[in-house]
Amino acid sequence: MSPSRVLVTLFLAFILGIAFASLQIEFWILIPLSASALFLIYILLLRPYSYHRGTLLLVALACSASAFLGAARFNASPEKPPPPQIPAFLVNIKTHFDDALNAALPEPHASLMRSILLGKNKDLPKNLIVDFRDAGLSHIIAVSGYNITIVVGMILGILTLFSLSPRMRYAISLGMVLSFVLMVGAEASVVRAGIMAALLGLSHVVGRIGKPFNILIIVAGAMLAVNPRLLVFDLGFELTFLAMAGLLFLTPIIETGLTKFTPRL
């Protein structure tokens, strides 16, 4: 039995508890409903020879407790949690960065670069925003995981110029990614991408291959533990996790289909 599968199942139970609580389902129905759903998920995640009555009973009880915690956390959370506070030094860095862009590039090039790196598209001309939307490229000028990809790529490219240990490179990258997430406002899509990048980087440092789906569930559970209202009232949270889950599940299926029906070049 893999501990990571049990952990992922418990996080799923926590998320289900929040979802059921948002539907105003009574506790006496919520607990067995969550336990039954996660019991089936747990069986699907394990191989047949891994079934054991005692283990499955413990997992069912743990799922019930985790679902109860999720529901209780949702009911106890404020309807409008306060927005994250950006440290003053990050505000100063952001201001200096804006000034440097304005000095180096003319408009609308400076606004476009600001949108790509920081997701600030308020200064872009409306016709340019419409063009990006019509082309299906709105994610490039919005705060999303794409920004994290650019930042991580730039950081790793710079750090490769120095003879640093993998742990030191990871620590520096982690601090800069965290600063970037806070600087752009800690929106759900960027937080998701930042935490996933941190966990994937950690798995490489410790020499273990992290499974993206497990990391996705753990990140979702951790974010909902801080603010469970994201699951129901934040469209950005829902879209970023659904999009990532779609990529993880559908990409292998599409690749297999293309190899069968596309002639080899």
Side-chain angles (χ1 to χ4, degrees):
M1 181 181 60
S2 173
S4 62
R5 290 177 176 175
V6 177
L7 181 63
V8 169
T9 306
L10 293 179
F11 270 105
L12 282 172
F14 182 82
I15 296 171
L16 276 180
I18 294 175
F20 290 147
S22 68
L23 298 175
Q24 303 298 320
I25 297 177
E26 298 292 338
F27 274 151
W28 65 275
I29 300 177
L30 182 148
I31 299 305
L33 187 61
S34 300
S36 301
L38 269 298
F39 183 77
L40 293 175
I41 293 174
Y42 182 75
I43 290 177
L44 293 175
L45 290 174
L46 290 178
R47 297 189 177 98
Y49 63 78
S50 299
Y51 296 165
H52 187 273
R53 290 183 179 180
T55 301
L56 294 180
L57 177 61
L58 288 176
V59 171
L61 293 175
C63 287
S64 299
S66 184
F68 178 82
L69 288 175
R73 181 72 183 92
F74 179 85
N75 292 327
S77 63
E79 293 186 3
K80 292 183 178 180
Q85 298 295 324
I86 303 177
F89 77 95
L90 291 179
V91 175
N92 293 333
I93 293 176
K94 191 174 182 180
T95 301
H96 288 306
F97 183 77
D98 286 343
D99 295 339
L101 279 180
N102 292 329
L105 297 173
E107 292 293 346
H109 303 81
S111 297
L112 179 59
M113 183 61 69
R114 191 179 299 110
S115 301
I116 293 174
L117 295 178
L118 301 178
K120 293 177 58 179
N121 55 17
K122 295 181 180 179
D123 299 329
L124 278 178
K126 292 184 178 180
N127 62 324
L128 187 57
I129 296 177
V130 171
D131 290 340
F132 271 94
R133 185 176 65 245
D134 293 341
L137 299 174
S138 297
H139 62 281
I140 294 180
I141 57 173
V143 177
S144 65
Y146 177 79
N147 304 80
I148 293 293
T149 303
I150 295 177
V151 171
V152 171
M154 291 173 59
I155 294 172
L156 293 179
I158 295 173
L159 292 180
T160 52
L161 302 176
F162 303 93
S163 56
L164 300 173
S165 66
R167 294 178 183 271
M168 181 61 68
R169 284 199 297 266
Y170 173 74
I172 295 174
S173 301
L174 181 63
M176 297 189 73
V177 168
L178 176 61
S179 299
F180 177 80
V181 169
L182 292 175
M183 188 168 62
V184 299
E187 294 192 13
S189 57
V190 180
V191 173
R192 189 271 307 162
I195 299 177
M196 288 195 69
L199 293 178
L200 288 171
L202 179 62
S203 67
H204 286 291
V205 170
V206 300
R208 297 185 61 181
I209 300 176
K211 295 182 178 180
F213 176 74
N214 292 354
I215 293 176
L216 184 68
I217 296 299
I218 292 173
V219 171
M223 291 179 64
L224 292 175
V226 176
N227 182 10
R229 302 277 170 173
L230 290 173
L231 185 63
V232 184
F233 301 108
D234 193 316
L235 185 59
F237 176 89
E238 298 164 2
L239 289 177
T240 188
F241 279 96
L242 287 175
M244 194 65 193
L247 288 174
L248 294 177
F249 281 109
L250 296 180
T251 299
I253 298 174
I254 295 174
E255 287 180 347
T256 303
L258 289 177
T259 54
K260 289 182 179 179
F261 297 102
T262 303
R264 295 186 177 183
L265 300 178

